[in-house]
């Protein structure tokens, strides 16, 4: 109390000096803000804006007919199928990995965590190629698959596999640090009180990680629906059959059908915006959750 | 003496969870990746060396690594400014800018690719001004740098931001009260504190850029020896049914990306445990980096 009083009493010169030493002059501040805003506007706002203006450049009717066209519908359907299989697979994996790595200490744990990150560091093109080298006609299993008339490459299974590979770490990555930070006490208490393993997971662990889980699923889904390089290698680009939305965009664009290409692209851009919105919402929710826990901790 | 593989715990499900994790990891990631090395081993060393050092391959490495380094450098410079401005200053629509930083993570690369091409091509929003001063911003190495700058934009911002947020203002006040001027405080107190995170972000942006395909192929023009990136060279070889050639180049890329992964891990270890968890989370999980 006394110190505060003294400092206040010294008046303006001191506080101005303190401000100058721990902050910047106004013109520097505005220069930095201006630089950041221009940079973000050019690199983030402009691409978004160009997608929507180009999509609507030829009018609303061209926009909607581009989306209703059979090939576009087939591409949308295939994208939904690929994401609909890849995301649940990686969700189950993410939960298992988070339980094993987040709740237990064992030899080789950090090595295993690094291995889970591998798909992030592999080029999308290489991610597609590795499946061609296994399941392709020239691949390791190629002759056997051909003899049994099973098509993986240039068919839907290859697209699902490639999508699964590139989205592999997303949910696990999200959950592992979260489960680790939560600690084991609550689960141990539940078990001691007679809950079964599944009950403990379902009633104790899951509620604690639900926002992280949701965010992981949203991110995983965005990448699964938008993947281009890996899917491009394994798809074979058969119109109406093995084209996902990004591949359909590429074909339209290369045929100089710009407005339809951007129309399909605008759907994916909307998905991206929805993903960012969900991220902000989940962030807010999880902060509320943390605040609540802190309040409960104070009360107890 | 018995080595304990796992520490004691009363929680159930370790065997099931770990078993499934390892099985799924092997099936989806490890076995397919090793197939690449298996396939490459059918080549003799001379054949392999001949493919990966062909002039067209060398030109593609030069472009891929050069453009990635420049783009990561641009992102380091602007990323530090953006992170600083977002943490320390108040300005209109700050929240909006903050959430949009992650756009390159969320926007499909093909969409980014055609959007950037539309902006920077000769009659595009910005391309027309570049054209007027005689610079081709699309269908040139510059276009590759632009696309890679977009893809790598969030990394430095998202690794540096939490570190800046956590930095005690008292440290700066202490420096100031000991007589340091603002510039000295920045170079002696702030820069050392955010350096490891900034370098981690730089390396992540670089690693991501080296493998990037979708956002680049539209804007680069794909001319062999001039604007052909390494991932595109792999696709070209595949389309010519040159599987051995594609595999050899892919092995080079895989070795490079493993090296990058290792250096990212080392960088994070260097920056210390607490920042490590944060920087790691920042790759995909900026939302929980403060948790």
């Amino acid at each position: 109390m006394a110190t505060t009083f003294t400092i206040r009493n010294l008046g303006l010169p001191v506080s101005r000096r303190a401000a100058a030493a721990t902050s910047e002059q106004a013109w520097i501040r505005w220069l930095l803000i201006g630089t950041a805003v221009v940079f973000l506007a050019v690199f983030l706002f402009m691409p978004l804006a160009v997608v929507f203006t180009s999509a609507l450049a030829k009018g609303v009717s061209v926009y909607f007919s581009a989306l209703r066209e059979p090939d576009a519908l087939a591409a949308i359907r295939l994208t939904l199928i690929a994401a609909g299989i890849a995301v649940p697979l990686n969700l189950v994996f993410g939960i298992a990995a988070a339980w094993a790595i987040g709740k237990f200490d064992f030899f080789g744990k950090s090595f295993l965590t690094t291995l889970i990150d591998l798909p992030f560091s592999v080029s999308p093109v290489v991610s597609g190629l590795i499946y061609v080298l296994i399941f392709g006609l020239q691949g390791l299993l190629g002759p056997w698959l051909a003899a049994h008339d099973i098509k993986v490459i240039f068919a839907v299974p290859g697209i699902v596999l490639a999508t699964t590979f590139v989205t592999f770490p997303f949910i696990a990555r999200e959950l592992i640090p979260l489960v680790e930070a939560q600690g084991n006490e609550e689960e141990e208490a539940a078990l001691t009180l007679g809950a079964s393993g599944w009950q403990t997971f379902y009633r104790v662990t899951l509620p604690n990680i639900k926002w992280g889980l949701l965010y992981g699923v949203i991110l995983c889904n965005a990448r699964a629906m938008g993947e281009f390089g890996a899917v491009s290698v394994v798809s074979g680009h058969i119109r109406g059959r093995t084209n996902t939305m990004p591949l359909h965009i590429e074909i339209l664009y290369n045929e100089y059908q710009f407005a339809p290409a951007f129309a399909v692209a605008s759907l994916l851009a909307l998905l991206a915006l929805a993903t960012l919105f969900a991220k902000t919402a989940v962030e807010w929710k999880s902060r509320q959750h943390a605040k609540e826990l802190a309040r409960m901790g104070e009360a107890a | 003496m018995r080595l304990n593989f796992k520490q004691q715990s009363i929680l159930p499900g370790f065997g099931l969870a770990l078993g499934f994790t390892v099985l799924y990891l092997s099936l989806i990631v490890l076995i397919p990746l090793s197939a690449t090395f298996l396939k490459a081993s059918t080549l003799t060393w001379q054949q392999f060396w001949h493919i990966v050092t062909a002039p067209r391959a060398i030109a593609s490495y030069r472009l891929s690594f050069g453009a990635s380094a420049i783009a990561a450098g641009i992102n380091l410079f602007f990323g530090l400014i953006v992170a600083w401005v977002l943490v320390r200053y108040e300005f209109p629509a700050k929240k909006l800018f903050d959430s949009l930083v992650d756009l390159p993570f969320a926007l499909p690369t093909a969409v980014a690719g055609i959007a950037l091409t539309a902006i920077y091509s000769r009659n595009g929003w910005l391309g027309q001004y570049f054209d007027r001063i005689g610079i081709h911003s699309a269908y040139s190495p510059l276009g590759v740098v632009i696309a890679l700058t977009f893809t790598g934009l969030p990394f430095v911002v998202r690794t540096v931001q939490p570190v800046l947020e956590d930095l005690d203002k008292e440290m700066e006040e202490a420096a100031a009260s000991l007589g340091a001027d603002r510039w000295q405080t920045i170079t002696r107190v702030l820069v050392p504190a955010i350096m490891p995170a900034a370098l981690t972000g730089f390396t992540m942006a670089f690693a991501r850029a080296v493998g990037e395909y979708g956002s680049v192929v539209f804007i680069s023009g794909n001319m062999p020896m001039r604007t052909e990136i390494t991932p595109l060279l792999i696709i070209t070889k595949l389309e010519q049914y040159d599987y051995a050639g594609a595999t050899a180049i892919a092995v080079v890329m895989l070795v490079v990306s493993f090296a990058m992964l290792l250096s990212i891990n080392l960088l994070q270890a260097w920056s210390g445990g607490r920042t490590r968890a944060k920087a790691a989370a920042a790759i995909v999980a900026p939302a929980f980096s403060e948790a």
Side-chain angles (χ1 to χ4, degrees):
Chain A
M1 190 65 205
T3 40
T4 330
F5 185 70
T6 339
I7 289 171
R8 287 252 170 86
N9 235 7
L10 284 172
L12 210 66
V14 168
S15 68
R16 194 184 283 161
R17 238 190 83 195
T22 57
S23 185
E24 288 70 41
Q25 284 157 309
W27 71 271
I28 297 182
R29 223 163 34 228
W30 286 108
L31 181 71
L32 289 175
I33 291 174
T35 311
V37 165
V38 169
F39 178 70
L40 295 179
V42 166
F43 274 95
L44 302 179
F45 280 102
M46 220 183 240
L48 268 184
V50 89
V51 168
F52 292 106
T53 51
S54 310
L56 294 166
K58 293 270 163 65
V60 180
S61 66
V62 173
Y63 180 85
F64 282 106
S65 67
L67 301 182
R68 270 199 304 262
E69 186 223 347
D71 286 348
L73 288 177
I76 294 172
R77 197 176 310 125
L78 183 56
T79 294
L80 292 176
I81 291 173
I85 299 173
V87 175
L89 278 178
N90 287 333
L91 173 63
V92 174
F93 161 71
I95 292 174
W99 187 261
I101 294 172
K103 293 288 184 202
F104 299 92
D105 266 321
F106 56 91
F107 177 74
K109 183 162 128 164
S110 58
F111 182 62
L112 183 64
T113 317
T114 308
L115 286 182
I116 290 175
D117 282 344
L118 268 183
F120 273 150
S121 61
V122 175
S123 168
V125 169
V126 178
S127 314
L129 174 73
I130 59 178
Y131 291 106
V132 174
L133 294 180
I134 295 183
F135 300 109
L137 215 50
Q138 313 256 330
L140 297 172
L141 300 177
W144 185 87
L145 290 170
H148 291 77
D149 202 26
I150 305 171
K151 266 189 90 79
V152 176
I153 299 305
F154 304 150
V156 177
I159 291 172
V160 172
L161 273 175
T163 307
T164 310
F165 181 94
V166 292
T167 57
F168 181 89
F170 277 91
I171 299 174
R173 202 59 221 248
E174 196 66 42
L175 290 183
I176 293 169
L178 212 56
V179 168
E180 231 163 17
Q182 226 86 56
N184 290 358
E185 287 85 3
E186 290 180 37
E187 280 82 1
E188 281 163 4
L191 288 166
T192 323
L193 292 170
S196 74
W198 287 114
Q199 279 176 326
T200 307
F201 172 75
Y202 198 76
R203 298 278 178 82
V204 178
T205 313
L206 204 55
N208 275 334
I209 60 170
K210 63 182 177 213
W211 295 115
L213 189 84
L214 182 66
Y215 182 48
V217 168
I218 290 168
L219 266 182
C220 185
N221 178 64
R223 180 70 198 266
M225 292 192 168
E227 179 49 32
F228 177 69
V231 170
S232 164
V233 172
V234 297
S235 117
H237 306 271
I238 309 164
R239 268 200 170 196
R241 284 186 43 213
T242 62
N243 266 343
T244 59
M245 284 166 79
L247 298 178
H248 187 61
I249 294 171
E250 184 196 20
I251 290 186
L252 292 173
Y253 189 85
N254 288 341
E255 288 173 347
Y256 301 102
Q257 301 193 46
F258 294 131
F262 278 106
V264 180
S266 74
L267 289 185
L268 289 174
L270 284 176
L271 174 74
L273 286 178
T275 305
L276 291 186
F277 180 76
K279 176 202 169 246
T280 314
V282 165
E283 234 173 18
W284 184 78
K285 265 285 180 197
S286 66
R287 215 168 337 190
Q288 296 293 106
H289 189 68
K291 257 187 219 155
E292 219 164 88
L293 286 181
R295 232 191 346 257
M296 278 159 67
E298 263 167 38
Chain B
M1 200 183 107
R2 190 170 158 267
L3 277 172
N4 266 341
F5 165 66
K6 158 184 161 297
Q7 302 215 318
Q8 289 301 315
S9 168
I10 66 156
L11 296 189
F14 175 71
L16 178 68
L18 186 69
F20 181 76
T21 302
V22 172
L23 177 74
Y24 186 75
L25 177 72
S26 309
L27 284 179
I28 300 286
V29 179
L30 299 182
I31 295 174
L33 275 179
S34 38
T36 318
F37 290 93
L38 205 68
K39 180 82 184 176
S41 68
T42 59
L43 293 166
T44 67
W45 179 246
Q46 277 89 356
Q47 284 172 317
F48 178 80
W49 193 248
H50 183 72
I51 295 169
V52 301
T53 57
R56 191 169 165 186
I58 301 275
S60 83
Y61 307 145
R62 197 174 296 141
L63 176 65
S64 274
F65 290 103
S68 300
I70 296 172
I74 294 174
N75 277 324
L76 180 65
F77 179 76
F78 286 101
L80 283 172
I81 295 178
V82 171
W84 177 259
V85 161
L86 287 178
V87 172
R88 286 297 173 91
Y89 303 150
E90 288 304 325
F91 56 95
K94 177 172 134 169
K95 277 236 88 116
L96 180 69
F97 281 104
D98 194 4
S99 356
L100 264 185
V101 166
D102 289 317
L103 182 73
F105 286 151
L107 192 71
T109 53
V111 178
I114 63 170
L116 292 171
T117 313
I119 294 172
Y120 292 97
S121 65
R122 190 167 291 175
N123 42 22
W125 290 351
L126 293 179
Q128 50 180 316
Y129 300 109
F130 280 106
D131 193 55
R132 218 170 283 169
I133 51 170
I135 297 174
H136 295 286
S137 47
Y139 316 120
S140 70
L142 177 63
V144 179
V145 171
I146 291 171
L148 295 179
T149 305
F150 173 83
T151 355
L153 192 146
F155 288 100
V156 174
V157 181
R158 291 309 190 210
T159 45
V160 170
Q161 215 176 358
V163 180
L164 272 181
E165 265 162 13
D166 257 30
L167 212 63
D168 280 334
K169 205 136 192 194
E170 281 106 67
M171 287 225 294
E172 288 166 62
E173 282 163 8
S177 72
L178 291 171
D181 62 32
R182 187 61 186 154
W183 181 246
Q184 284 171 323
T185 310
I186 289 174
T187 51
R188 302 280 179 83
V189 177
L190 286 173
V191 171
I194 57 177
M195 209 52 155
L199 272 180
T200 307
F202 173 85
T203 318
M204 283 172 174
F206 180 74
R208 169 76 205 265
V210 167
E212 179 55 26
Y213 173 70
S215 58
V216 178
V217 282
F218 296 98
I219 201 172
S220 73
N222 307 330
M223 285 163 279
M225 305 296 295
R226 223 175 85 74
T227 59
E228 186 178 55
I229 51 167
T230 311
L232 181 73
L233 184 61
I234 296 178
I235 297 239
T236 313
K237 287 189 181 293
L238 267 182
E239 279 169 357
Q240 295 161 350
Y241 301 103
D242 178 8
Y243 288 90
T247 312
I249 306 277
V251 164
V252 172
M253 291 213 69
L254 278 177
V255 170
V256 170
S257 36
F258 294 159
M260 307 283 294
L261 191 64
L262 186 72
S263 50
I264 291 173
N265 279 347
L266 289 176
L267 270 173
Q268 289 174 346
W270 173 49
S271 63
R274 230 160 60 87
T275 11
R276 177 166 127 208
K278 284 184 176 168
I283 291 193
V284 289
F288 294 92
S289 47
E290 69 258 61

